[in-house]
Amino acid sequence: ELNEATSAYDNIKMGVKYLEILLTETPNPRDAVAAYYQGLAPTQAGVYYPDTQDYVATIFAVKLTYWP
């Protein structure tokens, strides 16, 4: 039974699925990560909050650390 409120496994599985959906709804991976953090509507409207810009930069820096 799916229980994303208390199960780390289920929470991660749902987060990955949501990111997969965002990757199909946005033109590039950076926008998908931005939408994951701040929501799809503002991202599609071209709005990127300062904390979102920092979040996206951090995610891609970590990605380069593990997957150069």
Side-chain angles (χ1 to χ4, degrees):
E1 176 178 320
L2 183 67
N3 188 357
E4 67 274 356
T6 59
S7 168
Y9 173 80
D10 290 342
N11 189 287
I12 292 167
K13 190 173 178 180
M14 291 298 291
V16 169
K17 184 61 179 175
Y18 181 49
L19 185 56
E20 179 184 36
I21 292 166
L22 292 172
L23 284 165
T24 66
E25 296 293 323
T26 58
N28 61 65
R30 287 189 175 274
D31 284 349
V33 171
Y36 184 89
Y37 185 74
Q38 72 175 12
L40 184 57
T43 303
Q44 288 178 324
V47 175
Y48 299 90
Y49 304 115
D51 58 322
T52 300
Q53 294 172 12
D54 293 342
Y55 178 80
V56 171
T58 299
I59 293 300
F60 281 89
V62 169
K63 179 182 179 282
L64 282 176
T65 299
Y66 294 100
W67 299 280

